[in-house]
Amino acid sequence: MNSIKLLLTKCGISAISGTLHQPARIAIFGRFSSTFAPKSSFTNNLKLPVVRANGILGKNSIGSIATLQMKKRPMRKKRPEEAEVTEDGNFTVTAYATAEEYDLEKLLSGLVQQELYEPKKFICTDDNGVEPDVLYVSAKYQVDKEPRDIFFFREGTVILWNIGELESSNVLSFLRQYEHDSYDENTVAGESEQMVYNYVASDQMSAHLKRGLFLLTRDEEGYLEKYTFSNAMSLSVKLGIWEASLDKYIDSIAFVTEDLKRGTKIKMSRAEVLRKTGELFALRHLINLSSDLLDTPDFYWDREHLENLYAQICGYFSISRRTKVMNEKLNHCVELAELISSNLNDAHHVRLEWMIIILIMVEVLFEIIHYAERYVDSGQEAEFVAEERTK
């Protein structure tokens, strides 16, 4: 049943692409034309660029290192039962973090010109309406009864509801022109998240999470339930990107601990250490100050049922635990950076002291030479006076 729906989705999108020729439309084989699999399939195939002291490792080493990195991390989410995932009648929702930030205003204009998606709502997560930071759109051309919705978050994440691989690839390629500080494609694919959702009767129960399955209601404001699920998934994939960045950072300074253990000279300059320290504090700022990892967004303060749902999903994705582990790793890295900086400062001070000592020795040498010259000159003058007296 799922395969038939996927085929219909692909056929529908192909038909749309063939009949509509908009200037903003992009080719199918774009930036993300590769096949995207659920997160569970990426566990053993994740290939992140791992940096060492001598650069990026070869292709033969990336796979094993990436697998090792995944083992270091806390469990990203509880594994849903296989029966829940493959049950007929369910739909998929996929989340990607592709950049540091989206320009939502220009993105909205581009979507209007493209004429494939209808903007539904600009959502303000702070409830003050100062700057909307979530754009909710829906596909104009329906393939089946289930709508195809997309949530674009300003912090650089996109959540795709009931959208197949081909259409997802087109959306991600289209997003590229509205991204600021885009992420590596392999990291985006590897840190993506895919879940399954379905509906329940609203008169029987409210939206909730059951064994890895999102269960929604068909109320008039059902989009808020989708937004709540999307918000938690957005947080999870964004945290996954930061986890990957921290793993790469740890690998890039691993050689320093080996140098310290062997007692050899640290092969880093003070400028490099300062830059590495800046990367650490920038990452710590993103995690603890610029995100909602440590607090519940203001949007849920007067929506208790959505707040409980948001907390349930964040618990499923282990957001708090993963954030705590990342902060512990960051603290360790900061201590290591401070130790390296202190070591380099001591070496710099010793070098300055030796320079001063050498300068003093040079000055003393010149004084000795000047004293010797004066002594020789005085002796010659005494001889000259003695010769004059004898005459």
Side-chain angles (χ1 to χ4, degrees):
M1 191 69 181
N2 289 334
S3 60
I4 294 175
K5 288 184 178 180
L6 181 59
L7 180 59
L8 288 174
T9 302
K10 292 184 177 180
C11 292
I13 297 303
S14 300
I16 293 170
S17 301
T19 55
L20 297 177
H21 300 280
Q22 299 296 331
R25 186 160 298 111
I26 41 222
I28 289 176
F29 298 98
R31 174 186 172 200
F32 289 90
S33 57
S34 59
T35 300
F36 292 101
K39 177 62 188 175
S40 57
S41 64
F42 280 100
T43 303
N44 296 324
N45 299 323
L46 178 61
K47 295 184 177 181
L48 298 176
V50 181
V51 181
R52 291 290 186 185
N54 55 353
I56 299 177
L57 295 177
K59 293 182 178 180
N60 295 333
S61 302
I62 292 179
S64 59
I65 292 295
T67 304
L68 183 60
Q69 289 176 353
M70 292 301 294
K71 291 180 180 178
K72 293 177 184 176
R73 297 188 191 176
M75 184 176 293
R76 184 156 177 170
K77 65 182 180 182
K78 298 177 182 178
R79 294 186 179 275
E81 296 181 6
E82 192 66 24
E84 288 287 351
V85 177
T86 59
E87 183 182 350
D88 291 343
N90 291 339
F91 309 97
T92 59
V93 51
T94 310
Y96 298 98
T98 65
E100 283 294 328
E101 186 179 355
Y102 293 151
D103 190 335
L104 290 186
E105 289 73 22
K106 291 183 178 179
L107 174 60
L108 176 60
S109 177
L111 290 172
V112 171
Q113 294 178 9
Q114 193 185 39
E115 295 185 355
L116 287 178
Y117 299 95
E118 179 184 1
K120 292 290 187 180
K121 196 173 183 62
F122 242 142
I123 303 174
C124 301
T125 57
D126 58 0
D127 266 358
N128 294 325
V130 177
E131 184 182 22
D133 47 11
V134 181
L135 176 60
Y136 167 47
V137 303
S138 184
K140 288 185 176 182
Y141 306 94
Q142 296 297 329
V143 177
D144 50 25
K145 293 182 179 180
E146 174 62 19
R148 305 195 311 279
D149 298 330
I150 305 177
F151 289 86
F152 300 98
F153 288 78
R154 190 178 295 275
E155 59 263 24
T157 57
V158 55
I159 316 299
L160 308 162
W161 291 79
N162 191 34
I163 292 181
E165 296 176 3
L166 184 62
E167 189 175 1
S168 297
S169 175
N170 284 336
V171 171
L172 293 175
S173 298
F174 176 73
L175 267 175
R176 174 116 192 196
Q177 55 191 311
Y178 306 105
E179 295 175 353
H180 299 294
D181 299 327
S182 301
Y183 298 140
D184 176 73
E185 296 177 12
N186 292 331
T187 307
V188 170
E191 299 301 325
S192 63
E193 197 76 71
Q194 189 173 83
M195 298 293 292
V196 180
Y197 75 96
N198 212 322
Y199 293 90
V200 295
S202 57
D203 57 345
Q204 296 178 0
M205 60 182 68
S206 59
H208 62 282
L209 179 68
K210 179 182 178 182
R211 291 184 294 174
L213 178 66
F214 290 171
L215 294 174
L216 310 172
T217 62
R218 296 187 183 272
D219 295 337
E220 292 182 0
E221 293 190 350
Y223 74 92
L224 290 177
E225 296 173 355
K226 282 190 174 182
Y227 166 76
T228 303
F229 282 113
S230 300
N231 195 0
M233 290 188 71
S234 170
L235 210 59
S236 178
V237 293
K238 196 71 174 181
L239 182 57
I241 292 290
W242 293 335
E243 287 172 337
S245 299
L246 182 58
D247 286 342
K248 289 193 294 183
Y249 180 91
I250 292 172
D251 285 330
S252 69
I253 62 172
F255 72 97
V256 175
T257 57
E258 294 296 325
D259 292 341
L260 291 173
K261 185 171 66 176
R262 290 193 298 264
T264 58
K265 182 180 178 181
I266 297 177
K267 302 178 182 65
M268 290 185 71
S269 64
R270 298 176 69 194
E272 290 174 339
V273 173
L274 183 62
R275 186 171 60 253
K276 288 290 185 182
T277 305
E279 293 177 11
L280 278 178
F281 280 98
L283 188 56
R284 176 181 278 183
H285 177 87
L286 289 173
I287 294 171
N288 297 299
L289 300 179
S290 299
S291 69
D292 295 321
L293 292 173
L294 302 179
D295 194 12
T296 302
D298 297 346
F299 178 83
Y300 302 105
W301 283 7
D302 57 348
R303 299 176 176 90
E304 186 176 353
H305 66 292
L306 293 179
E307 182 178 359
N308 294 333
L309 182 60
Y310 176 79
Q312 183 184 14
I313 304 167
C314 288
Y316 176 79
F317 286 110
S318 305
I319 299 296
S320 298
R321 182 166 177 261
R322 290 162 60 193
T323 304
K324 181 180 178 182
V325 170
M326 276 205 71
N327 277 315
E328 290 176 353
K329 289 183 178 181
L330 284 170
N331 290 336
H332 174 76
C333 290
V334 168
E335 291 177 1
L336 180 60
E338 291 176 350
L339 176 62
I340 297 171
S341 179
S342 175
N343 183 277
L344 292 177
N345 286 335
D346 290 343
H348 181 67
H349 294 158
V350 170
R351 188 161 54 250
L352 289 177
E353 290 173 358
W354 274 109
M355 291 174 64
I356 293 172
I357 291 172
I358 292 173
L359 288 175
I360 293 174
M361 291 177 63
V362 170
E363 185 177 359
V364 170
L365 179 62
F366 276 115
E367 287 297 328
I368 292 174
I369 293 174
H370 292 161
Y371 178 79
E373 289 177 351
R374 288 195 298 270
Y375 179 79
V376 171
D377 291 341
S378 62
Q380 292 178 351
E381 183 178 357
E383 291 179 358
F384 178 76
V385 171
E387 288 178 358
E388 288 293 330
R389 287 179 179 178
T390 54
K391 292 180 180 179

